[in-house]
Amino acid sequence: MAALSPLAAIRERIARSAEIARRKAEDVTLVAVSKTHPAEAILQLIREGQRVFGENRVQEADAKWPALQEAYPDVELHLVGQLQSNKAEDAVRRFDCIHSLDRPSLLTALARAMDKLGRRVPLFVQVNIGAEEQKGGCAIIDLPALLTEARTADLPVIGLMCVPPAGIEAAPFFALLAKLADDHGLPSRSMGMSEDFETAVMLGATHVRVGSALFGTRG
Ligand SMILES: *Cc1c(COP(=O)(O)O)cnc(C)c1O
């Protein structure tokens, strides 16, 4: 039997984890995080059928993606990294989904950019789920106010996103993010990366963000 490609292997692991949790594999979107990897590596996955990609920097995406987006208009590009308010307009122009809304100043900048460009881009609110000092993400205690503000500004928030603390079991953090999303009636949860996406799928992830397990480790 031929070895599975990395993409096929990840898809199979997602399907198996979904089955264990009695979920449907098609309710889990695989976001292929292509940061630092060249267009040729992305093209290879597109040719294999992958349609959702993630980048963590606006500038890198602006350099790498215009030709790819023109050639493959059905490909979705997600921003998974922290976003500076002064890049909000570039981000709204380039990306089809933004996973990193985490503070009022960015909310204001995104609302202004979406109004100006006449383009509503679905958003995840990133939550600092492990209450880590240096980490991006909204504090859990600030989440209700930020969601209210987003609703007032008519921003399409579809779910919550997190990056749990490194080096410890991620499951409790995924469970907490899922509960917060439930509490606020948000249908989508962006959680799980190369090391822990199966756990995330079992705990209700709708979007897993997988980089190195698909593209190889970054140089
Ligand atoms: C790089 C990155 C990922 C993918 O990480 P891997 O461990 O390579 O799978 C996921 N989410 C965010 C926010 C990232 O910056």
Side-chain angles (χ1 to χ4, degrees):
M1 204 175 80
L4 292 179
S5 70
L7 177 62
I10 299 284
R11 290 203 172 288
E12 189 167 299
R13 287 167 64 190
I14 290 172
R16 207 172 301 149
S17 306
E19 194 183 348
I20 290 169
R22 299 173 192 276
R23 302 183 59 209
K24 292 190 208 125
E26 61 263 33
D27 292 341
V28 181
T29 297
L30 171 60
V31 182
V33 180
S34 50
K35 66 186 183 203
T36 76
H37 295 285
E40 302 85 80
I42 296 167
L43 258 178
Q44 199 175 317
L45 285 195
I46 292 177
R47 292 202 184 101
E48 242 193 284
Q50 176 64 23
R51 283 297 175 270
V52 184
F53 290 84
E55 291 283 344
N56 72 332
R57 299 173 66 180
V58 177
Q59 244 173 323
E60 182 179 344
D62 279 345
K64 236 158 62 178
W65 276 91
L68 288 165
Q69 286 176 307
E70 192 164 334
Y72 300 94
D74 60 331
V75 163
E76 264 182 49
L77 188 60
H78 292 213
L79 178 64
V80 300
Q82 279 191 55
L83 177 57
Q84 291 171 290
S85 297
N86 64 5
K87 296 270 170 60
E89 195 177 316
D90 293 337
V92 169
R93 203 177 279 119
R94 174 68 51 206
F95 291 93
D96 302 298
C97 183
I98 295 172
H99 291 232
S100 47
L101 168 58
D102 63 356
R103 59 194 189 279
S105 57
L106 179 58
L107 190 154
T108 305
L110 285 170
R112 194 171 299 147
M114 288 192 204
D115 288 343
K116 180 174 168 191
L117 298 172
R119 171 176 163 81
R120 309 291 300 164
V121 173
L123 301 170
F124 287 85
V125 170
Q126 181 174 352
V127 179
N128 186 351
I129 202 75
E132 292 174 281
E133 198 76 53
Q134 6 51 294
K135 199 110 158 210
C138 156
I140 290 175
I141 195 168
D142 296 330
L143 181 60
L146 193 62
L147 289 172
T148 300
E149 207 177 320
R151 215 166 292 127
T152 306
D154 199 24
L155 290 183
V157 172
I158 61 169
L160 302 181
M161 177 273 212
C162 74
V163 181
I168 56 173
E169 174 58 52
F173 299 102
F174 293 154
L176 178 55
L177 191 81
K179 177 169 190 316
L180 290 169
D182 275 349
D183 289 349
H184 291 284
L186 295 167
S188 301
R189 303 95 196 262
S190 169
M191 55 190 199
M193 319 202 313
S194 290
E195 294 301 314
D196 51 24
F197 68 89
E198 288 159 304
T199 304
V201 168
M202 286 189 254
L203 290 168
T206 60
H207 294 69
V208 292
R209 310 177 310 269
V210 178
S212 44
L214 275 173
F215 288 96
T217 45
R218 292 177 286 275

